[in-house]
Structures are given as C-alpha cells and as structure tokens.
C-alpha cells in the first residue's frame, strides 16, 4: 500500500519559508494569496495490504522520524 | 581532564573542538565515532558543529539514532557535562536532551559572522567562570539557528532560568536588530533542568585564539575545566561516573 504523509509546521509556529514565498507571490501581483505555509510531503511504499497496518506504520514513522512534534504536525492518507 | 569529541558523519567542527581542548587548553582529547558504544573515559563531552548525517530531513534528526547517543544520554543523566555547539545543539534538541526546536533563520540566510552574547546564567558547568551580564563576542555560522519553543515550554524554560546566553547588542542590551536568526526571546543557548547539558549556536571553539579574531570563547572551556576540577577535588559524582563509563 501507499501512505502519503504531509508534515507541516504547527499553526502557532512562524514559517520563514512560507512567509518569503508569500511575499514573492505578492511582488508578482498575486495579492489575493494572503499567506503561504510550506511543508514536506512523503510517499511511503509499504509492504502490507492492510489499511490499518499501513496507517499505523506510517504514523509510527512520522512520530519517530519524519516530524518533530515540538514544531510540526502531520496528516496521513493511505491507499 | 579528558574531552570526548563526538564525530558524526558530516561533523565538520570536530577538529576545531579537539584543537581547542588539546592545543589551546593542554587537555587530553579523544574523538568518539558515532558508532562507538563507550565514551573512553571522557570527563566532558562535546557534540560539535557540522551537518550530522547530512541533515537532509531536519537538522540533527538522524543523529539521535546513532549508537553513541545511548552512552551520551546515560552520561548526561549521571550529571556529566555535555556541550552541544551549533549542529551539536540541534542534535541535543532532537534527542530531547534539551527543550525546544530549531527553525530556519528568519530571513532564510545562512549567517556567518560575529555576534554578541549576554551571559544570563553562571551556574552551569560551561559558564561558571563568566560573570552574569558579561558580553561575549563569538562567531556563528548556521542556517537553522532560529530557536523556538511553544509558549508553555518557553515559560517553563524562562522560569527555570534555563536560558544561558542571549543575543544582544555590543553593550548587552536586547535589541531585535542584533538577533541574527529570529530566535524567540533572543535565545542563543539553553541548558537542561539539571543544568549539566548546554546547547549553544555560537562557536566558542573558534574564539579561543587571538589569531582567530577573539578569545571570548575561552571562558566556556575554562568554566568546564574549573567545574571538573572542583568536582574532582570534592570527589563528586560527575567525575567518577564519567570515568566509570
């Protein structure tokens, strides 16, 4: 199965990259893009056919390695 | 005294730390490879700067899984003095040995320059010979030194007096223009609750010789030497515990 893990800075954490990208977009005339938050995206190919197992494995990997819980949160999609 | 300098694949300030300990301060020093599982009798540990394991995911994120980190944690838990410099600080944060996390610098630029640091706490093994309020001029070189802690954690850190150094202007006055990376509360160095583990973004090992443009980093090394000597003369635990490992 494939799991997609989206890691983003928590809303309370300042995102210097996202802020800079937003400013760049504003300078290109995209005033309607009010803000940008940048994150990381991981695709995990998992050796299982069980959705629950896949989700648990992806969550374990995200908790332990992919995300730093002090500053980041994550969302998982499994298919 | 015996310094243990931990070397991860990608460390690049290990030789500077080793040089400072051995050649500037005349102490014994030993490199400890990240796959080592014992500390070879080190009395004090330095996690040096660099890009451990490449820092591809997050700075310091993979280094905490290195085998040496087990003994490092045990050493810290016994009260042994541990100093993380730059990437070493990032590794201590990711390992949970220090509170908080690092973000990309505000402004996103890699900053390589001298900064001014006000000594906030002198009851750590690495600042005992400094005066509270003393201003140190020490270089930084980092892209991710924007120290962050969630509001509740930050409150705790401040209440426990765990902020060891802050970025200030040359007169020791807090001024956001002199904060090189956007760190919350201008934090440049923190310690753990027990105060024996210290992480700092600036590089004291690069500021120990006049030839290198300044000697303000010496006080960090002099402090830990004084701390170890007094511990030895009192036969306190950190010494004997360090040797026994």
């Amino acid at each position: 199965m494939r799991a997609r893990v989206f890691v983003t800075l928590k809303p309370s954490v300042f995102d210097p990259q996202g802020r800079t990208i937003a400013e760049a977009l504003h300078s290109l005339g995209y005033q309607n893009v009010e803000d940008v938050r940048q994150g990381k995206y991981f695709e995990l190919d998992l050796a299982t056919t069980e959705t629950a197992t896949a989700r648990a494995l992806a969550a374990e990997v995200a908790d332990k390695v992919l995300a730093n819980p002090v500053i980041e949160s994550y969302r998982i999609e499994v298919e | 005294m015996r310094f243990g300098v931990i070397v991860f694949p990608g460390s690049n300030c290990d030789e500077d730390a080793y040089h400072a300990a051995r050649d500037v301060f005349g102490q014994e020093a030993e490199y400890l490879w990240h796959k080592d599982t014992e500390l070879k009798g080190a009395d004090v540990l330095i996690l040096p700067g660099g890009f451990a394991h490449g820092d591809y995911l997050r700075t310091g994120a993979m280094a905490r899984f290195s085998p040496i980190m087990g003994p490092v944690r045990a050493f810290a838990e016994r009260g042994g003095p541990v100093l993380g410099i730059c990437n070493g600080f990032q590794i201590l944060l990711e390992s949970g040995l220090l509170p908080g996390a690092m973000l990309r610098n505000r402004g996103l630029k890699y900053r390589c320059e001298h900064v001014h640091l006000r000594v906030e706490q002198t009851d750590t093994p690495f600042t005992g010979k400094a005066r509270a309020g003393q201003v140190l001029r020490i270089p930084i070189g980092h892209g991710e030194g924007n120290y962050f802690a969630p509001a509740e954690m930050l409150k705790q850190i401040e209440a426990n007096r765990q902020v060891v150094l802050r970025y200030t202007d040359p007169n020791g006055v807090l001024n956001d223009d002199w904060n090189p990376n956007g760190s919350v509360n201008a934090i440049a160095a923190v310690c753990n609750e027990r105060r024996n583990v210290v992480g700092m973004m600036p590089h004291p090992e690069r500021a120990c010789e006049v030839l290198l443009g300044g000697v303000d980093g010496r006080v960090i090394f002099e402090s830990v030497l004084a701390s170890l000597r007094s511990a030895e003369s009192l036969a306190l635990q950190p010494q004997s515990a360090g040797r026994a490992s």
Side-chain angles (χ1 to χ4, degrees):
Chain A
M1 298 200 75
R2 174 164 292 178
R4 299 193 172 90
V5 183
F6 302 82
V7 176
T8 50
L9 289 170
K10 289 178 178 172
S12 57
V13 178
F14 177 62
D15 173 10
Q17 285 167 285
R19 187 66 232 149
T20 304
I21 294 163
E23 284 166 12
L25 291 174
H26 293 163
S27 75
L28 292 172
Y30 292 104
Q31 303 302 335
N32 290 339
V33 180
E34 290 183 340
D35 199 10
V36 176
R37 303 283 291 173
Q38 189 189 269
K40 293 176 189 154
Y41 168 61
F42 303 87
E43 277 184 5
L44 309 178
D45 287 323
L46 306 172
T48 176
T49 51
E50 298 285 325
T51 305
T53 311
R55 186 169 287 279
L57 181 54
E60 186 179 329
V61 167
D63 278 330
K64 253 196 194 153
V65 183
L66 301 182
N68 178 341
V70 178
I71 46 172
E72 295 170 324
S73 52
Y74 64 83
R75 176 167 63 80
I76 294 171
E77 291 175 2
V78 175
E79 70 177 34
Chain B
M1 300 299 166
R2 196 171 175 81
F3 282 72
V5 178
I6 301 189
V7 185
F8 297 94
S11 294
N12 63 14
C13 300
D14 42 343
E15 292 191 23
D16 305 37
Y18 184 88
H19 166 72
R22 238 173 69 126
D23 304 328
V24 179
F25 294 96
Q27 304 300 311
E28 291 176 45
E30 183 88 47
Y31 290 119
L32 301 170
W33 180 235
H34 81 115
K35 285 189 173 166
D36 286 349
T37 50
E38 55 119 7
L39 305 176
K40 300 182 184 170
D43 299 304
V44 47
L45 296 179
I46 296 184
L47 281 72
F51 299 85
H53 298 274
D55 278 348
Y56 299 116
L57 177 64
R58 284 185 315 280
T59 54
M62 301 314 290
R64 75 185 156 108
F65 298 109
S66 284
I68 194 77
M69 289 308 288
V72 169
R73 184 178 296 276
F75 181 80
E77 282 167 2
R78 286 196 303 269
V82 179
L83 178 66
I85 301 169
C86 197
N87 189 227
F89 185 8
Q90 294 162 339
I91 292 167
L92 292 174
L93 293 170
E94 284 279 346
S95 307
L97 285 166
L98 290 174
M102 285 296 174
L103 301 169
R104 292 281 297 270
N105 289 351
R106 169 180 66 184
L108 301 177
K109 288 201 169 62
Y110 187 96
R111 300 289 297 260
C112 187
E113 62 203 43
H114 277 80
V115 296
H116 296 90
L117 306 158
R118 188 176 71 200
V119 177
E120 302 289 275
Q121 303 298 336
T122 56
D123 59 346
T124 83
F126 298 99
T127 52
K129 297 294 274 183
R131 280 178 292 105
Q134 183 178 353
V135 178
L136 306 175
R137 185 173 170 275
I138 294 181
I140 56 165
H142 61 248
E144 298 197 27
N146 183 352
Y147 180 83
F148 176 85
E152 206 44 47
M153 187 188 282
L154 185 63
K155 219 156 93 188
Q156 204 66 42
I157 290 167
E158 292 285 4
N160 293 339
R161 300 185 303 102
Q162 286 172 255
V163 179
V164 179
L165 302 169
R166 281 187 225 272
Y167 302 107
T168 63
D169 74 7
N171 298 314
V173 177
L174 281 172
N175 180 337
D176 198 45
D177 293 342
W178 292 82
N179 180 341
N181 49 35
S183 289
V184 65
N185 290 9
I187 292 172
V190 296
C191 65
N192 60 348
E193 280 188 51
R194 191 168 172 176
R195 311 186 88 71
N196 60 309
V197 179
V198 171
M200 60 189 292
M201 285 315 289
H203 287 271
E205 80 284 12
R206 294 184 193 171
C208 291
E209 291 158 286
V210 175
L211 188 63
L212 297 182
V215 294
D216 283 6
R218 295 184 62 114
V219 73
I220 305 293
F221 289 87
E222 286 161 356
S223 294
V224 77
L225 288 174
S227 158
L228 286 168
R229 282 187 195 114
S230 79
E232 195 164 65
S233 66
L234 293 168
L236 285 179
Q237 200 194 350
Q239 269 305 306
S240 49
R243 287 263 158 71
S245 65

